[in-house]
Amino acid sequence: MKRIITLVSTLALFAGLALAQAPANTYVYSTFGAPASLDPVRAYDTASGAILENVYETLFTFDDPAIDQLKPLLATSYEVLNDGLTYRFQLREGVQFHSGNTMTCADADWSFTYGMGTAHPEAATSYLLGQQFLGSQQTGDDVDAYLAEVTWDELEGLATCPEGPDGLVLDLNIQAPDPAFMSVLAYTAFSVIDSEYAIANGVWDGTEATWTEWIGRELTEEHLHRNPSGTGAYSVVEWGDASLIATRFDGYWGGPAPIENVVFNYVDEEATRILQLQQGDADRITLGQRASLVQVRGAPGVVVHEEPDWAGTCVSAGMFNFDINMTDNVDVGSGQLDGAGITSDFFTDVNLRRAFAHLFDQDEFIAQIYQGEGTKLTMGLPNTFPGYNPDVPVRSLDLETAEEFMRLAWDGAVWETGFEFTALYNAGNTTRETLLNIIAENLSFLGDGQFVMNVRSIPWPDFLARTSEKKVPFFALGWCADYADARNFVNTYYDNDGFFSARTSINIPEMQAIIDEADVLLDQEVRAFLYRDIGTLHYDQAPLIVYPVPTEYILTTDAISGVYFNPMRSHQFLWKDISKN
């Protein structure tokens, strides 16, 4: 304990010195955006994930840098039993938590039950695996509604220990075969937590008697929020408003990591972060936009790690609303197809959507937003995911083709009468603003000025509220991967019951049939071909306008070795895999 106290004091002093040279035994990362929580079942953000993936561990993980291949981590193997309803894991022997406790099946059992039983509405567990484990994605924001769908017997039975709590065999029991189950388990929300340590510090005791007290509980007020005990290569020793400090866990089952200490400094000003990198005060920094690379590229001691195929796992799009809520809606004009407005079903016409897709200049967008370093996507799926279809065309700016489709829309009524409506984006998001403005400007070149798409911004909370009320005819939003399976995007964007359907009322029957089939199919190769068909239908039906993704990069000093890019990692690489000269 004395050694840790000394370390905290030393590192805290270092973190506060703006011009201190980063020590040789310490990796310093200067970024923006502090974690939401260090409790894996509460955190659902990138900033938290960057810490959690190094402090906690899951049963299986990515075979870095691949995102479509998994390897054993806290489990050494698994088998699928009971016609795909039971996954039996052999847990790794002799794994220690940061507290000194030894991991057993009881810890894994408690971890899964704790996540599903608390069902925090801002967390990932219920959304990602609630249906599979409990038959319900109901969260704990409404305790009565949750209890109406979830029983203690279901909760208690989702994870079991066939050889007893002190054994090393874990069964996870789901309600229907799920082809993406193993991919989902790699997410940090399903890390194994030190249950003995958690319970001793006032976290849920794992019993039915106290369970209902923890449903929807605000976990940021509980011990694990700031005091994690995982099995990872690093343990957190201090987390304040300006920095987070971690130290190497010498009892790590995989052996001690090369770098002893890790410091995350949370610095809002980009200019300050750039200066820190140039002066060696930081080993890695985050830039707010690619345009800022010009300030550091070629600087002594600075390395821009980048490859043409480095693509992230976020996809954004301009989205059509198939069933606009017209009640007190200022964004639909007259509410009629009379030249001064649009109707509620305006965008159900496929020719109209195709016309809009040919008004978006993909190349100009890449030039403006990504300084020429970007990739066009053929569908609403990262191009690194199995199931992505690279062989279909991408609709881009073509005013002649746009006019042809516009003349066909609504049997010629659109071309004859014209229209006017307003598209929205959240204030401050220049990427989404650029998408909408490019379309609006090119739309004005068609016909004799009878087509008008106004563009306006509103604050983020209002934007979310208005889109959820289905009052926005056309808007831009994005999605970042939770797990490396096409379902995470295809269902989100295209499914009648997907996440964005609550804002778009999307309804493409041909797509829905494919989605329903892929949801239950266990053959991964066949699933991938089905998802490629979604790409073909995306081109034909134009249900949304996917905009390009930037080429990713990592910015470090030349003292750091071992850098790789895994877009499913919040930090792109694990701290234990790098070294410092």
Side-chain angles (χ1 to χ4, degrees):
M1 180 62 70
K2 186 176 181 180
R3 182 186 67 84
I4 293 177
I5 292 174
T6 303
L7 175 66
V8 170
S9 301
T10 302
L11 289 179
L13 177 62
F14 160 71
L17 295 177
L19 299 179
Q21 192 77 12
N25 66 346
T26 302
Y27 168 62
V28 181
Y29 179 40
S30 188
T31 185
F32 57 88
S37 179
L38 299 184
D39 184 339
V41 308
R42 171 61 177 85
Y44 199 6
D45 62 290
T46 302
S48 300
I51 308 302
L52 293 174
E53 64 195 12
N54 294 283
V55 172
Y56 284 98
E57 293 178 309
T58 52
L59 300 174
F60 272 65
T61 191
F62 303 102
D63 191 4
D64 293 309
I67 67 172
D68 58 349
Q69 300 176 38
L70 297 175
K71 66 179 181 180
L73 195 58
L74 290 183
T76 57
S77 64
Y78 79 96
E79 56 182 327
V80 183
L81 308 172
N82 192 21
D83 295 326
L85 300 183
T86 297
Y87 284 71
R88 176 163 291 177
F89 295 88
Q90 180 65 48
L91 301 179
R92 193 175 296 277
E93 186 176 4
V95 174
Q96 279 194 330
F97 289 105
H98 301 152
S99 67
N101 295 329
T102 300
M103 182 189 74
T104 67
C105 181
D107 297 297
D109 181 349
W110 183 90
S111 300
F112 281 91
T113 310
Y114 167 62
M116 290 295 158
T118 52
H120 196 283
E122 295 180 41
T125 51
S126 293
Y127 172 70
L128 293 179
L129 284 180
Q131 195 66 43
Q132 290 88 327
F133 278 133
L134 302 173
S136 171
Q137 288 182 305
Q138 180 66 49
T139 58
D141 55 332
D142 186 333
V143 176
D144 290 337
Y146 177 83
L147 289 173
E149 297 188 15
V150 177
T151 67
W152 171 255
D153 288 343
E154 290 174 323
L155 186 67
E156 188 179 36
L158 67 88
T160 55
C161 299
E163 296 182 353
D166 294 331
L168 291 175
V169 176
L170 169 72
D171 281 357
L172 295 179
N173 305 297
I174 58 179
Q175 300 202 4
D178 179 7
F181 185 68
M182 287 299 296
S183 294
V184 180
L185 285 187
Y187 187 62
T188 55
F190 306 106
S191 300
V192 177
I193 302 170
D194 184 346
S195 62
E196 182 180 348
Y197 165 86
I199 294 170
N201 284 283
V203 186
W204 179 50
D205 63 8
T207 69
E208 180 181 7
T210 59
W211 166 47
T212 56
E213 301 171 14
W214 285 81
I215 300 172
R217 192 158 173 153
E218 185 40 71
L219 299 178
T220 58
E221 299 174 0
E222 304 301 329
H223 188 76
L224 291 178
H225 170 61
R226 287 191 171 273
N227 305 280
S229 180
T231 61
Y234 288 85
S235 62
V236 173
V237 292
E238 183 176 280
W239 175 28
D241 293 338
S243 64
L244 182 143
I245 303 165
T247 186
R248 180 174 61 202
F249 177 42
D250 290 334
Y252 181 55
W253 62 267
I259 294 177
E260 184 175 352
N261 309 312
V262 174
V263 175
F264 270 45
N265 285 325
Y266 302 110
V267 181
D268 290 337
E269 299 79 13
E270 182 177 272
T272 302
R273 297 196 302 272
I274 290 174
L275 184 63
Q276 289 175 335
L277 182 73
Q278 292 172 331
Q279 295 184 339
D281 306 334
D283 297 301
R284 178 186 177 186
I285 67 168
T286 300
L287 294 180
Q289 53 186 347
R290 173 174 273 276
S292 300
L293 271 178
V294 68
Q295 301 180 55
V296 293
R297 194 186 291 275
V302 173
V303 178
V304 181
H305 306 265
E306 57 184 340
E307 298 292 340
D309 62 348
W310 279 13
T313 58
C314 294
V315 174
S316 297
M319 284 184 267
F320 302 109
N321 188 343
F322 284 56
D323 185 14
I324 305 165
N325 178 357
M326 308 294 281
T327 304
D328 298 325
N329 193 342
V330 298
D331 295 320
V332 296
S334 66
Q336 303 294 324
L337 192 55
D338 56 4
I342 58 174
T343 56
S344 63
D345 59 351
F346 185 62
F347 285 115
T348 61
D349 186 285
V350 64
N351 289 311
L352 184 67
R353 299 194 303 266
R354 291 166 179 162
F356 269 76
H358 282 294
L359 295 172
F360 178 52
D361 191 336
Q362 301 258 353
D363 294 319
E364 179 62 21
F365 184 88
I366 291 174
Q368 282 192 38
I369 301 298
Y370 306 142
Q371 288 70 54
E373 300 292 337
T375 301
K376 303 171 189 176
L377 296 180
T378 63
M379 58 189 294
L381 178 67
N383 59 357
T384 53
F385 275 39
Y388 178 81
N389 192 338
D391 299 326
V392 295
V394 175
R395 295 188 191 273
S396 190
L397 181 63
D398 186 335
L399 292 180
E400 289 185 4
T401 302
E403 178 176 329
E404 290 174 7
F405 284 125
M406 197 70 81
R407 287 181 178 275
L408 293 172
W410 289 108
D411 295 325
V414 167
W415 188 266
E416 181 179 343
T417 63
F419 57 78
E420 182 172 358
F421 71 92
T422 300
L424 301 185
Y425 69 95
N426 55 297
N429 193 311
T430 56
T431 302
R432 293 170 185 168
E433 179 185 15
T434 301
L435 165 79
L436 298 180
N437 280 333
I438 287 176
I439 294 173
E441 181 179 2
N442 288 323
L443 180 64
S444 69
F445 296 141
L446 296 185
D448 296 320
Q450 70 265 42
F451 309 116
V452 178
M453 184 179 87
N454 303 304
V455 176
R456 71 182 178 99
S457 67
I458 58 175
W460 176 246
D462 298 335
F463 178 78
L464 288 180
R466 194 161 182 82
T467 54
S468 67
E469 293 170 357
K470 298 187 179 180
K471 288 188 173 182
V472 186
F474 184 58
F475 59 94
L477 264 178
W479 186 262
C480 294
D482 299 307
Y483 54 97
D485 188 272
R487 186 181 73 191
N488 194 214
F489 285 87
V490 170
N491 290 39
T492 297
Y493 277 113
Y494 302 111
D495 194 320
N496 292 356
D497 295 319
F499 183 83
F500 284 133
S501 67
R503 290 173 164 84
T504 65
S505 295
I506 187 171
N507 184 18
I508 310 290
E510 304 97 308
M511 282 189 169
Q512 193 61 48
I514 295 173
I515 291 169
D516 292 342
E517 183 179 358
D519 277 348
V520 297
L521 190 65
L522 297 181
D523 188 314
Q524 299 295 354
E525 290 187 8
V526 176
R527 288 180 75 230
F529 277 107
L530 287 176
Y531 287 129
R532 286 171 64 94
D533 290 341
I534 294 289
T536 302
L537 283 171
H538 171 90
Y539 176 79
D540 179 64
Q541 294 292 311
L544 48 119
I545 301 175
V546 179
Y547 55 78
V549 293
T551 301
E552 300 289 344
Y553 62 91
I554 296 172
L555 193 57
T556 73
T557 65
D558 58 7
I560 300 298
S561 302
V563 171
Y564 57 85
F565 179 78
N566 185 334
M568 291 303 299
R569 302 281 188 198
S570 293
H571 193 64
Q572 286 79 54
F573 54 82
L574 295 177
W575 306 341
K576 68 178 182 179
D577 293 335
I578 61 170
S579 59
K580 188 172 181 181
N581 302 329

